[in-house]
Amino acid sequence: MIKRIFFETALILFASLSVFSLTQAEIEEFQDSWNSQKNEFLKSEVRQCAGNENNTLFLMAADNVDGGHSVVWAFHAGEYNKDNRIKPIWDKLSLSCNSIKSLVFSPFSNKFYFSSAWAVYDSPEKNTQGLYILNQTHSETPPYITLDHHLMEVGEGCLLVNKTGVWLLHDVFNGDASFQSSRLYKIEDEKGNFVFQINPATEKTDFLSFYNYEHNTKKDKAIIVKFIQDGVFQSTDYTLLLCDKDGASWWLYNCVNKKLKKYESYWTVKKKALLIDKRYELGIWPNLNRRNALQIILQIIALICFIFTASILIIKLVHKIKHDKNTSTILKERNKMIFDIQEKERAKISRDIHDSVVQDIRVLRLETENLVVDEKSKARQTKIADLATDCIIKLRNICYNLTPAELANHNTGDSSKLELISIINSLVQQFSSRTHIPCVFKVEEGFEYPVLEKEKTQNLFRVIQESLTNIEKHSYATQASIFLKKDGNTLFIYITDDGIGCNPNELDKKLKSKEHLGLRSMKDRMELIGGSIEFFTSQNDGMEIKIELPLEDAK
């Protein structure tokens, strides 16, 4: 219904444009003709439509509902003012409906082609089946179009146009009123020459007939067809797709090298056809017989330029990869040196504080406790001693944070390995005691305690220490936990809290920013020892830190 409305609107528009250039007498004559032809056309149901390159001539194949037969209409759109704009050019009252199965325009010769399927056997002069060719004469006087007929066997046919010419797949009549197969014809080549021939590669191949496909109840539902012919015959720019007589497999005909090959399914042959088209368009798979020497030389030069350009890009890419790898190695060596210096300085500062300041305050406390004072001053004496004790505790915590006792013994050049669990356990106890935030430390059942290289243990300790420090300072958490597990040769450490969390986008910015040294240091330390660290958080939903470390060197 929508198609019919569209074409009726187009007809009215074409007629209106034409009337403006006619005299009054011609207008009246045109109007009478228009009304007559319009009424006839409105009784029809459009089946096929094709237009020429400049849209000055359209052909429409339609079925006349009242008469029960097929009609081909011609519509002029302003090229010849005195011509009857709308008229039937092919109207066979003796034929049944739907005789015209296909109608196309050839851009090579500017001709129209359509085929008629049926004939009237009791009247030989009415044998109208076969191929029709409509020529545009471009003459100043009628007739402006001519129609030629090429008689063929009875049977349905479908015309297709691609970049190699015009093609016709036509049913083969067996004489027993059946159509068991179809045959492929080349009607016109890409130069516009009328050839009408069967290629030797397809001459002995039986393709599925349109008649059998149309009456077959077991069609392949995976193939979406717009017209019934699409289930048998399709085209791409340089290939033709033809359904085999068995109704399941498909043939691919290469229109350039004239080779035919069979495939198991439609989708397989469709993919192959599109690949062939792409190769021909890019010139990767050319037909040497169709090109001159200059074209071959130009394509060879283009190929050499492509290879040269690709080689330069590959060299630059390899150089960049090497440069990035060297840069990464330099950064890791720099970070290792910085962290080693930091550990040594922390150990030195920790020892200095413990051996000097802490000892001096301890002596001060003892001296204060040993002073002989009167009863009024005893309370003040006790307060001073307690303050000294608090200072000692705080300084010891500072010393522990700088270098835990478990690490302090290995910062003077000892390369032995360290047991990780006891160090983390001491860190958790010290954190809970200092901050009054409960922190649970759990280890997976059956977990074999890893003994790691000193460098790995030190960096893991610093990462966990920084995580707990962030919980203390920023999270407003009421509890925290640390969980260790092992999966194969990989160690996983999960640090979680129930604090306020943060926005993931803001966290990404902090990780990339040079101002947030704590987070960057955590990431750098894990990369240095071959591990990784990830942060999972959302606003008001706490945070989880996942640490992952391969254990190839663990024993």
Side-chain angles (χ1 to χ4, degrees), residues 99-151:
S99 179
I100 304 299
K101 293 291 186 180
S102 183
L103 190 155
V104 299
F105 173 75
S106 169
F108 312 111
S109 63
N110 293 324
K111 296 178 181 179
F112 288 88
Y113 292 94
F114 64 90
S115 63
S116 174
W118 314 123
V120 180
Y121 298 108
D122 60 357
S123 179
E125 68 276 6
K126 295 181 180 179
N127 284 346
T128 57
Q129 77 278 8
L131 181 68
Y132 286 83
I133 306 103
L134 185 142
N135 301 279
Q136 304 174 76
T137 62
H138 300 285
S139 173
E140 293 294 333
T141 59
Y144 305 120
I145 54 178
T146 61
L147 190 64
D148 298 324
H149 178 212
H150 194 95
L151 187 65

Side-chain angles (χ1 to χ4, degrees), residues 362-375:
R362 183 181 290 114
V363 171
L364 179 63
R365 185 187 63 180
L366 292 174
E367 291 294 332
T368 301
E369 291 175 348
N370 293 330
L371 286 176
V372 178
V373 297
D374 54 23
E375 291 296 329

Side-chain angles (χ1 to χ4, degrees), residues 437-453:
I437 299 175
C439 184
V440 180
F441 177 42
K442 292 183 179 180
V443 178
E444 183 182 36
E445 186 176 353
F447 181 79
E448 182 180 352
Y449 290 9
V451 179
L452 306 177
E453 294 290 343

Side-chain angles (χ1 to χ4, degrees), residues 19 24-39 84 86:
V19 168
Q24 183 62 34
E26 289 173 333
I27 290 175
E28 293 176 359
E29 180 184 356
F30 181 87
Q31 189 65 39
D32 292 339
S33 175
W34 159 256
N35 291 331
S36 173
Q37 303 296 352
K38 180 187 71 173
N39 292 333
N84 189 347
I86 305 165

Side-chain angles (χ1 to χ4, degrees), residues 44 90 107 146 177 181 228 301-302 326 386 415 421 454 458 495 547:
S44 304
W90 190 90
T146 61
S181 61
I228 196 72
I301 294 174
N326 293 335
D386 291 341
S415 61
I421 303 299
K454 178 182 68 175
Q458 285 178 340
I495 306 169
I547 298 171

